[in-house]
Amino acid sequence: MAPQYAPSLRSRLPLVTFLLETIFLLLFVFFVKIEQHEPREFDQKTFIRLYAEFQDIHVMIFMGFGFLATFLVRYGFSGSGFNLLVAAMATQWAVLMNGFLLPQRHHNGAIYINMKSVIEAELCAASALVAMGAVHGKTNPVQLLLMALVEVTGFVVNQWIVRILLHADSLYSIMLLHVFGSLFGVMTSWVLHREQIRREKPEKEKTDSRTGLFAMLGTLFLWIFWPSFNSAVVYKKWETGLKLKVIYGTYLSLAVSVVIAMSISMLSSSKGKMNMVHIQRSALSGGVAFGVAMTAVQAPWIAMTIGFCSALLSALGCRYMKSHMLFAFECHDTCGVLNVHAIPGILGWFALLFLRLAGTESTIALRFAVHHICVLLITLCMSLVMGIATGLFLKLRIWRPQQDRKCFDDQAFWEFPHLVVKL
């Protein structure tokens, strides 16, 4: 039977979505145009390459992240469905935000959309999906939509600051999406935490063989296409071989991550068995860490070392950190994004800093270190502050937050015809 007394979103979700889409349509009408290419500048081979990368990222965003969020035994509809809703809305907003703030995307007051801008927009949407992973099950779709719009805005503004004001490399700045999105989501979850959820959630937060298999399918989609995710933003340096180095390095880092994740999961278990949920997360950590450090990695063994260290930290974090965070800080991270994205992302930042410092002179190295530290500190501050502010905003009663006993439950939002009681 459908849950009684669940707060209806009929007067909230349709109104918010229609209003947002109307605003987006008007902005697209007045500001967005399709970029026209000369044949000599945009040949068929370039189009095929860019479209293939777009397809890979598209699969990751809508299938990889979607299936990955279905591991909760009573939250499969919401995990995949809300992922689709948020990703579709966040991509539209990211196209506009990138166009308004990043100078290479607009000209004469118009935003020109092309394959590259759509790829970057989906990477921004990925940052919002990472943040959403921390609050799955404790928020309704209206709150998730608003959270995603704020997160994308903050991430694009952060990119503008580090690119325009600090002159950071565009490849490096956009790959900070893992650090920004995860910390944003964790802080939002911390503000939204309610003590009653801790007592209501144990049964609903479990996984079973069916949901675990679907979540593993999402992991496989992400794992297979992650080299495209890291290399898609490499545009102008195709001839130098950087793109190929990124693809090879990402694969090697991911391969090592899988092996170490399974080993640590079994080693840290009291029964000597592997935990599928931990492996689903930690197997991806190598791709996250390498993506942040990819511009400085020149040798395959360095990529493999990054994958080894990231999987080690991520697997141990998945095993021990989640419960300790809930006990010590009252912060519940549903999908463990802190261990999957934040810690590997910061590890990749340290690897990038070390590799750059090792290959430069002392004076230049000191200047680079200060600049590099400023970029990370700005990203951390922006994500933490905006995450707290967003959490306070989403706590307003106007958004009809879930009842404690309806958290992690699909029946609060979805129809189940086979459960309807005929009178």
mmCIF file with all atom_site columns, all heavy atoms in Angstrom, residues 110-129:
data_model
loop_
_atom_site.group_PDB
_atom_site.id
_atom_site.type_symbol
_atom_site.label_atom_id
_atom_site.label_alt_id
_atom_site.label_comp_id
_atom_site.label_asym_id
_atom_site.label_entity_id
_atom_site.label_seq_id
_atom_site.pdbx_PDB_ins_code
_atom_site.Cartn_x
_atom_site.Cartn_y
_atom_site.Cartn_z
_atom_site.occupancy
_atom_site.B_iso_or_equiv
_atom_site.pdbx_formal_charge
_atom_site.auth_seq_id
_atom_site.auth_comp_id
_atom_site.auth_asym_id
_atom_site.auth_atom_id
_atom_site.pdbx_PDB_model_num
ATOM 1   N N   . ALA A 1 110 ? 26.202 36.914 -27.445 1.00 0.00 ? 110 ALA A N   1
ATOM 2   C CA  . ALA A 1 110 ? 25.532 35.638 -27.702 1.00 0.00 ? 110 ALA A CA  1
ATOM 3   C C   . ALA A 1 110 ? 26.392 34.481 -27.208 1.00 0.00 ? 110 ALA A C   1
ATOM 4   O O   . ALA A 1 110 ? 27.621 34.554 -27.211 1.00 0.00 ? 110 ALA A O   1
ATOM 5   C CB  . ALA A 1 110 ? 25.246 35.471 -29.196 1.00 0.00 ? 110 ALA A CB  1
ATOM 6   N N   . ILE A 1 111 ? 25.722 33.404 -26.783 1.00 0.00 ? 111 ILE A N   1
ATOM 7   C CA  . ILE A 1 111 ? 26.402 32.186 -26.352 1.00 0.00 ? 111 ILE A CA  1
ATOM 8   C C   . ILE A 1 111 ? 26.365 31.200 -27.512 1.00 0.00 ? 111 ILE A C   1
ATOM 9   O O   . ILE A 1 111 ? 25.289 30.848 -28.008 1.00 0.00 ? 111 ILE A O   1
ATOM 10  C CB  . ILE A 1 111 ? 25.716 31.578 -25.120 1.00 0.00 ? 111 ILE A CB  1
ATOM 11  C CG1 . ILE A 1 111 ? 25.732 32.555 -23.949 1.00 0.00 ? 111 ILE A CG1 1
ATOM 12  C CG2 . ILE A 1 111 ? 26.375 30.271 -24.724 1.00 0.00 ? 111 ILE A CG2 1
ATOM 13  C CD1 . ILE A 1 111 ? 24.894 32.115 -22.771 1.00 0.00 ? 111 ILE A CD1 1
ATOM 14  N N   . TYR A 1 112 ? 27.531 30.766 -27.946 1.00 0.00 ? 112 TYR A N   1
ATOM 15  C CA  . TYR A 1 112 ? 27.602 29.836 -29.075 1.00 0.00 ? 112 TYR A CA  1
ATOM 16  C C   . TYR A 1 112 ? 27.810 28.421 -28.546 1.00 0.00 ? 112 TYR A C   1
ATOM 17  O O   . TYR A 1 112 ? 28.790 28.137 -27.859 1.00 0.00 ? 112 TYR A O   1
ATOM 18  C CB  . TYR A 1 112 ? 28.728 30.235 -30.023 1.00 0.00 ? 112 TYR A CB  1
ATOM 19  C CG  . TYR A 1 112 ? 28.396 31.476 -30.816 1.00 0.00 ? 112 TYR A CG  1
ATOM 20  C CD1 . TYR A 1 112 ? 28.739 32.743 -30.343 1.00 0.00 ? 112 TYR A CD1 1
ATOM 21  C CD2 . TYR A 1 112 ? 27.695 31.377 -32.008 1.00 0.00 ? 112 TYR A CD2 1
ATOM 22  C CE1 . TYR A 1 112 ? 28.410 33.879 -31.047 1.00 0.00 ? 112 TYR A CE1 1
ATOM 23  C CE2 . TYR A 1 112 ? 27.368 32.520 -32.733 1.00 0.00 ? 112 TYR A CE2 1
ATOM 24  C CZ  . TYR A 1 112 ? 27.728 33.758 -32.246 1.00 0.00 ? 112 TYR A CZ  1
ATOM 25  O OH  . TYR A 1 112 ? 27.388 34.884 -32.958 1.00 0.00 ? 112 TYR A OH  1
ATOM 26  N N   . ILE A 1 113 ? 26.866 27.562 -28.900 1.00 0.00 ? 113 ILE A N   1
ATOM 27  C CA  . ILE A 1 113 ? 26.898 26.194 -28.412 1.00 0.00 ? 113 ILE A CA  1
ATOM 28  C C   . ILE A 1 113 ? 27.511 25.287 -29.480 1.00 0.00 ? 113 ILE A C   1
ATOM 29  O O   . ILE A 1 113 ? 27.225 25.419 -30.670 1.00 0.00 ? 113 ILE A O   1
ATOM 30  C CB  . ILE A 1 113 ? 25.467 25.718 -28.040 1.00 0.00 ? 113 ILE A CB  1
ATOM 31  C CG1 . ILE A 1 113 ? 25.515 24.330 -27.398 1.00 0.00 ? 113 ILE A CG1 1
ATOM 32  C CG2 . ILE A 1 113 ? 24.552 25.724 -29.245 1.00 0.00 ? 113 ILE A CG2 1
ATOM 33  C CD1 . ILE A 1 113 ? 24.161 23.877 -26.866 1.00 0.00 ? 113 ILE A CD1 1
ATOM 34  N N   . ASN A 1 114 ? 28.387 24.414 -29.062 1.00 0.00 ? 114 ASN A N   1
ATOM 35  C CA  . ASN A 1 114 ? 28.998 23.430 -29.951 1.00 0.00 ? 114 ASN A CA  1
ATOM 36  C C   . ASN A 1 114 ? 29.230 22.145 -29.165 1.00 0.00 ? 114 ASN A C   1
ATOM 37  O O   . ASN A 1 114 ? 28.835 22.034 -27.999 1.00 0.00 ? 114 ASN A O   1
ATOM 38  C CB  . ASN A 1 114 ? 30.299 23.971 -30.561 1.00 0.00 ? 114 ASN A CB  1
ATOM 39  C CG  . ASN A 1 114 ? 31.280 24.434 -29.495 1.00 0.00 ? 114 ASN A CG  1
ATOM 40  O OD1 . ASN A 1 114 ? 31.284 23.936 -28.368 1.00 0.00 ? 114 ASN A OD1 1
ATOM 41  N ND2 . ASN A 1 114 ? 32.113 25.409 -29.834 1.00 0.00 ? 114 ASN A ND2 1
ATOM 42  N N   . MET A 1 115 ? 29.879 21.177 -29.801 1.00 0.00 ? 115 MET A N   1
ATOM 43  C CA  . MET A 1 115 ? 30.075 19.890 -29.143 1.00 0.00 ? 115 MET A CA  1
ATOM 44  C C   . MET A 1 115 ? 30.928 20.028 -27.887 1.00 0.00 ? 115 MET A C   1
ATOM 45  O O   . MET A 1 115 ? 30.685 19.365 -26.872 1.00 0.00 ? 115 MET A O   1
ATOM 46  C CB  . MET A 1 115 ? 30.734 18.902 -30.109 1.00 0.00 ? 115 MET A CB  1
ATOM 47  C CG  . MET A 1 115 ? 30.596 17.453 -29.704 1.00 0.00 ? 115 MET A CG  1
ATOM 48  S SD  . MET A 1 115 ? 28.891 16.854 -29.769 1.00 0.00 ? 115 MET A SD  1
ATOM 49  C CE  . MET A 1 115 ? 28.651 16.820 -31.549 1.00 0.00 ? 115 MET A CE  1
ATOM 50  N N   . LYS A 1 116 ? 31.920 20.908 -27.927 1.00 0.00 ? 116 LYS A N   1
ATOM 51  C CA  . LYS A 1 116 ? 32.786 21.093 -26.772 1.00 0.00 ? 116 LYS A CA  1
ATOM 52  C C   . LYS A 1 116 ? 32.013 21.686 -25.597 1.00 0.00 ? 116 LYS A C   1
ATOM 53  O O   . LYS A 1 116 ? 32.206 21.282 -24.448 1.00 0.00 ? 116 LYS A O   1
ATOM 54  C CB  . LYS A 1 116 ? 33.954 22.000 -27.144 1.00 0.00 ? 116 LYS A CB  1
ATOM 55  C CG  . LYS A 1 116 ? 34.863 21.434 -28.224 1.00 0.00 ? 116 LYS A CG  1
ATOM 56  C CD  . LYS A 1 116 ? 35.939 22.426 -28.609 1.00 0.00 ? 116 LYS A CD  1
ATOM 57  C CE  . LYS A 1 116 ? 36.810 21.899 -29.741 1.00 0.00 ? 116 LYS A CE  1
ATOM 58  N NZ  . LYS A 1 116 ? 37.824 22.894 -30.160 1.00 0.00 ? 116 LYS A NZ  1
ATOM 59  N N   . SER A 1 117 ? 31.161 22.659 -25.882 1.00 0.00 ? 117 SER A N   1
ATOM 60  C CA  . SER A 1 117 ? 30.420 23.297 -24.790 1.00 0.00 ? 117 SER A CA  1
ATOM 61  C C   . SER A 1 117 ? 29.427 22.329 -24.153 1.00 0.00 ? 117 SER A C   1
ATOM 62  O O   . SER A 1 117 ? 29.191 22.376 -22.943 1.00 0.00 ? 117 SER A O   1
ATOM 63  C CB  . SER A 1 117 ? 29.686 24.539 -25.309 1.00 0.00 ? 117 SER A CB  1
ATOM 64  O OG  . SER A 1 117 ? 28.683 24.187 -26.242 1.00 0.00 ? 117 SER A OG  1
ATOM 65  N N   . VAL A 1 118 ? 28.847 21.432 -24.946 1.00 0.00 ? 118 VAL A N   1
ATOM 66  C CA  . VAL A 1 118 ? 27.927 20.447 -24.387 1.00 0.00 ? 118 VAL A CA  1
ATOM 67  C C   . VAL A 1 118 ? 28.685 19.447 -23.516 1.00 0.00 ? 118 VAL A C   1
ATOM 68  O O   . VAL A 1 118 ? 28.209 19.040 -22.446 1.00 0.00 ? 118 VAL A O   1
ATOM 69  C CB  . VAL A 1 118 ? 27.169 19.720 -25.518 1.00 0.00 ? 118 VAL A CB  1
ATOM 70  C CG1 . VAL A 1 118 ? 26.286 18.613 -24.949 1.00 0.00 ? 118 VAL A CG1 1
ATOM 71  C CG2 . VAL A 1 118 ? 26.320 20.705 -26.296 1.00 0.00 ? 118 VAL A CG2 1
ATOM 72  N N   . ILE A 1 119 ? 29.887 19.045 -23.958 1.00 0.00 ? 119 ILE A N   1
ATOM 73  C CA  . ILE A 1 119 ? 30.704 18.139 -23.149 1.00 0.00 ? 119 ILE A CA  1
ATOM 74  C C   . ILE A 1 119 ? 31.051 18.780 -21.813 1.00 0.00 ? 119 ILE A C   1
ATOM 75  O O   . ILE A 1 119 ? 30.933 18.157 -20.751 1.00 0.00 ? 119 ILE A O   1
ATOM 76  C CB  . ILE A 1 119 ? 31.985 17.750 -23.918 1.00 0.00 ? 119 ILE A CB  1
ATOM 77  C CG1 . ILE A 1 119 ? 31.643 16.821 -25.079 1.00 0.00 ? 119 ILE A CG1 1
ATOM 78  C CG2 . ILE A 1 119 ? 32.993 17.070 -22.990 1.00 0.00 ? 119 ILE A CG2 1
ATOM 79  C CD1 . ILE A 1 119 ? 32.813 16.489 -25.972 1.00 0.00 ? 119 ILE A CD1 1
ATOM 80  N N   . GLU A 1 120 ? 31.468 20.043 -21.835 1.00 0.00 ? 120 GLU A N   1
ATOM 81  C CA  . GLU A 1 120 ? 31.800 20.732 -20.584 1.00 0.00 ? 120 GLU A CA  1
ATOM 82  C C   . GLU A 1 120 ? 30.572 20.898 -19.708 1.00 0.00 ? 120 GLU A C   1
ATOM 83  O O   . GLU A 1 120 ? 30.665 20.827 -18.477 1.00 0.00 ? 120 GLU A O   1
ATOM 84  C CB  . GLU A 1 120 ? 32.434 22.084 -20.893 1.00 0.00 ? 120 GLU A CB  1
ATOM 85  C CG  . GLU A 1 120 ? 33.827 21.982 -21.496 1.00 0.00 ? 120 GLU A CG  1
ATOM 86  C CD  . GLU A 1 120 ? 34.510 23.336 -21.606 1.00 0.00 ? 120 GLU A CD  1
ATOM 87  O OE1 . GLU A 1 120 ? 33.899 24.348 -21.188 1.00 0.00 ? 120 GLU A OE1 1
ATOM 88  O OE2 . GLU A 1 120 ? 35.644 23.376 -22.103 1.00 0.00 ? 120 GLU A OE2 1
ATOM 89  N N   . ALA A 1 121 ? 29.409 21.125 -20.319 1.00 0.00 ? 121 ALA A N   1
ATOM 90  C CA  . ALA A 1 121 ? 28.175 21.252 -19.535 1.00 0.00 ? 121 ALA A CA  1
ATOM 91  C C   . ALA A 1 121 ? 27.844 19.943 -18.829 1.00 0.00 ? 121 ALA A C   1
ATOM 92  O O   . ALA A 1 121 ? 27.407 19.942 -17.669 1.00 0.00 ? 121 ALA A O   1
ATOM 93  C CB  . ALA A 1 121 ? 27.024 21.672 -20.446 1.00 0.00 ? 121 ALA A CB  1
ATOM 94  N N   . GLU A 1 122 ? 28.059 18.818 -19.496 1.00 0.00 ? 122 GLU A N   1
ATOM 95  C CA  . GLU A 1 122 ? 27.769 17.536 -18.857 1.00 0.00 ? 122 GLU A CA  1
ATOM 96  C C   . GLU A 1 122 ? 28.786 17.228 -17.758 1.00 0.00 ? 122 GLU A C   1
ATOM 97  O O   . GLU A 1 122 ? 28.452 16.566 -16.777 1.00 0.00 ? 122 GLU A O   1
ATOM 98  C CB  . GLU A 1 122 ? 27.752 16.420 -19.900 1.00 0.00 ? 122 GLU A CB  1
ATOM 99  C CG  . GLU A 1 122 ? 26.555 16.503 -20.836 1.00 0.00 ? 122 GLU A CG  1
ATOM 100 C CD  . GLU A 1 122 ? 26.103 15.152 -21.337 1.00 0.00 ? 122 GLU A CD  1
ATOM 101 O OE1 . GLU A 1 122 ? 26.968 14.273 -21.502 1.00 0.00 ? 122 GLU A OE1 1
ATOM 102 O OE2 . GLU A 1 122 ? 24.887 14.986 -21.547 1.00 0.00 ? 122 GLU A OE2 1
ATOM 103 N N   . LEU A 1 123 ? 30.016 17.708 -17.904 1.00 0.00 ? 123 LEU A N   1
ATOM 104 C CA  . LEU A 1 123 ? 30.984 17.547 -16.813 1.00 0.00 ? 123 LEU A CA  1
ATOM 105 C C   . LEU A 1 123 ? 30.551 18.365 -15.593 1.00 0.00 ? 123 LEU A C   1
ATOM 106 O O   . LEU A 1 123 ? 30.723 17.923 -14.451 1.00 0.00 ? 123 LEU A O   1
ATOM 107 C CB  . LEU A 1 123 ? 32.369 17.980 -17.282 1.00 0.00 ? 123 LEU A CB  1
ATOM 108 C CG  . LEU A 1 123 ? 33.033 17.088 -18.340 1.00 0.00 ? 123 LEU A CG  1
ATOM 109 C CD1 . LEU A 1 123 ? 34.373 17.673 -18.764 1.00 0.00 ? 123 LEU A CD1 1
ATOM 110 C CD2 . LEU A 1 123 ? 33.226 15.675 -17.818 1.00 0.00 ? 123 LEU A CD2 1
ATOM 111 N N   . CYS A 1 124 ? 30.007 19.548 -15.831 1.00 0.00 ? 124 CYS A N   1
ATOM 112 C CA  . CYS A 1 124 ? 29.472 20.345 -14.714 1.00 0.00 ? 124 CYS A CA  1
ATOM 113 C C   . CYS A 1 124 ? 28.279 19.632 -14.077 1.00 0.00 ? 124 CYS A C   1
ATOM 114 O O   . CYS A 1 124 ? 28.122 19.653 -12.852 1.00 0.00 ? 124 CYS A O   1
ATOM 115 C CB  . CYS A 1 124 ? 29.063 21.725 -15.204 1.00 0.00 ? 124 CYS A CB  1
ATOM 116 S SG  . CYS A 1 124 ? 30.432 22.768 -15.763 1.00 0.00 ? 124 CYS A SG  1
ATOM 117 N N   . ALA A 1 125 ? 27.441 19.018 -14.912 1.00 0.00 ? 125 ALA A N   1
ATOM 118 C CA  . ALA A 1 125 ? 26.316 18.252 -14.373 1.00 0.00 ? 125 ALA A CA  1
ATOM 119 C C   . ALA A 1 125 ? 26.806 17.072 -13.548 1.00 0.00 ? 125 ALA A C   1
ATOM 120 O O   . ALA A 1 125 ? 26.192 16.702 -12.545 1.00 0.00 ? 125 ALA A O   1
ATOM 121 C CB  . ALA A 1 125 ? 25.414 17.771 -15.510 1.00 0.00 ? 125 ALA A CB  1
ATOM 122 N N   . ALA A 1 126 ? 27.935 16.476 -13.959 1.00 0.00 ? 126 ALA A N   1
ATOM 123 C CA  . ALA A 1 126 ? 28.507 15.379 -13.185 1.00 0.00 ? 126 ALA A CA  1
ATOM 124 C C   . ALA A 1 126 ? 28.884 15.832 -11.784 1.00 0.00 ? 126 ALA A C   1
ATOM 125 O O   . ALA A 1 126 ? 28.739 15.077 -10.808 1.00 0.00 ? 126 ALA A O   1
ATOM 126 C CB  . ALA A 1 126 ? 29.741 14.812 -13.899 1.00 0.00 ? 126 ALA A CB  1
ATOM 127 N N   . SER A 1 127 ? 29.360 17.057 -11.659 1.00 0.00 ? 127 SER A N   1
ATOM 128 C CA  . SER A 1 127 ? 29.684 17.585 -10.336 1.00 0.00 ? 127 SER A CA  1
ATOM 129 C C   . SER A 1 127 ? 28.436 17.658 -9.458  1.00 0.00 ? 127 SER A C   1
ATOM 130 O O   . SER A 1 127 ? 28.482 17.342 -8.265  1.00 0.00 ? 127 SER A O   1
ATOM 131 C CB  . SER A 1 127 ? 30.324 18.974 -10.485 1.00 0.00 ? 127 SER A CB  1
ATOM 132 O OG  . SER A 1 127 ? 30.684 19.502 -9.225  1.00 0.00 ? 127 SER A OG  1
ATOM 133 N N   . ALA A 1 128 ? 27.312 18.057 -10.054 1.00 0.00 ? 128 ALA A N   1
ATOM 134 C CA  . ALA A 1 128 ? 26.057 18.105 -9.299  1.00 0.00 ? 128 ALA A CA  1
ATOM 135 C C   . ALA A 1 128 ? 25.595 16.705 -8.902  1.00 0.00 ? 128 ALA A C   1
ATOM 136 O O   . ALA A 1 128 ? 25.054 16.500 -7.805  1.00 0.00 ? 128 ALA A O   1
ATOM 137 C CB  . ALA A 1 128 ? 24.980 18.812 -10.121 1.00 0.00 ? 128 ALA A CB  1
ATOM 138 N N   . LEU A 1 129 ? 25.804 15.720 -9.777  1.00 0.00 ? 129 LEU A N   1
ATOM 139 C CA  . LEU A 1 129 ? 25.415 14.343 -9.451  1.00 0.00 ? 129 LEU A CA  1
ATOM 140 C C   . LEU A 1 129 ? 26.276 13.777 -8.333  1.00 0.00 ? 129 LEU A C   1
ATOM 141 O O   . LEU A 1 129 ? 25.801 12.993 -7.503  1.00 0.00 ? 129 LEU A O   1
ATOM 142 C CB  . LEU A 1 129 ? 25.519 13.466 -10.696 1.00 0.00 ? 129 LEU A CB  1
ATOM 143 C CG  . LEU A 1 129 ? 24.596 13.831 -11.859 1.00 0.00 ? 129 LEU A CG  1
ATOM 144 C CD1 . LEU A 1 129 ? 24.804 12.878 -13.027 1.00 0.00 ? 129 LEU A CD1 1
ATOM 145 C CD2 . LEU A 1 129 ? 23.136 13.827 -11.425 1.00 0.00 ? 129 LEU A CD2 1
#
